[in-house]
Amino acid sequence: MNQHNKVQEYEKVLDLLDHFLKKYQNLGKNAIETSIVSLLKNNVTGLFFVGFYEVIDDNHLEVGPYQSTILATPRIEKGKGQCGQCWAEGKVQIQEDVKVCQNYIACDNETQSEIVIPVIKNGVVQSVLDIDSEHLSRFDEVDSKYLQRIVEYLI
């Protein structure tokens, strides 16, 4: 994907999200997450799965708002898969080719690459934003930068 186009798509998402949240103030976390998922899925090219996983206890993430043509893995253990690893480390995870990742949880055969962004509030991971693509090496530092800016709306 052309970097210029990618930047334009993310800038559009940020503008739409900012406008939406100024119009509808004091929304809860679920409403904001649902809006983020919708905006990303419908405005950024090459995204197959876009969703949040919520920390529900000391050991598990549970699927939250998402959009995809597949059903999401409902629960993920801490440290397992890219989402569980993102939660455990509190760091962005970028997997260029999920087929070579030993710690990947497959819920479909279409996903080729993945990025997971932690949502950290007061030093604690509250949830993670998980995005899959049907294209190899779809995600890079541009995606990471913009997605981290987007999840700041949840903090």
Side-chain angles (χ1 to χ4, degrees):
M1 167 177 233
N2 176 316
Q3 292 295 331
H4 178 70
N5 291 346
K6 184 186 285 193
V7 168
Q8 286 183 316
E9 290 177 348
Y10 281 120
E11 288 291 341
K12 179 180 178 183
V13 168
L14 282 167
D15 288 344
L16 291 168
L17 184 60
D18 191 60
H19 177 73
F20 178 79
L21 294 176
K22 283 179 181 172
K23 182 176 181 180
Y24 301 102
Q25 297 179 10
N26 301 316
L27 292 176
K29 182 180 178 186
N30 187 270
I32 297 170
E33 286 181 342
T34 301
S35 301
I36 288 171
V37 166
S38 177
L39 287 170
L40 287 170
K41 183 75 170 91
N42 291 297
N43 292 285
V44 179
T45 305
L47 307 184
F48 177 66
F49 175 94
V50 180
F52 283 93
Y53 280 90
E54 312 296 332
V55 175
I56 59 165
D57 60 32
D58 290 341
N59 297 309
H60 297 95
L61 294 168
E62 187 170 86
V63 69
Y66 77 93
Q67 288 191 10
S68 182
T69 57
I70 61 164
L71 291 175
T73 301
R75 283 210 174 146
I76 297 173
E77 290 181 45
K78 192 170 195 173
K80 302 293 183 184
Q82 296 301 289
C83 292
Q85 188 171 338
C86 178
W87 174 28
E89 295 177 6
K91 296 180 183 174
V92 174
Q93 304 293 312
I94 297 176
Q95 187 54 246
E96 293 184 1
D97 182 354
V98 299
K99 304 291 190 245
V100 299
C101 179
Q102 294 181 355
N103 193 26
Y104 178 68
I105 300 172
C107 47
D108 64 87
N109 293 322
E110 288 79 22
T111 298
Q112 298 293 312
S113 59
E114 179 176 27
I115 187 169
V116 187
I117 308 292
V119 179
I120 301 172
K121 185 173 183 178
N122 299 322
V124 178
V125 177
Q126 305 292 310
S127 58
V128 299
L129 173 60
D130 180 29
I131 303 178
D132 299 346
S133 176
E134 297 170 301
H135 306 283
L136 288 170
S137 303
R138 164 61 183 80
F139 304 106
D140 58 23
E141 290 305 314
V142 172
D143 299 280
S144 178
K145 178 181 107 175
Y146 277 98
L147 292 168
Q148 287 179 78
R149 283 179 58 193
I150 290 167
V151 300
E152 286 177 5
Y153 283 94
L154 293 162
I155 299 170

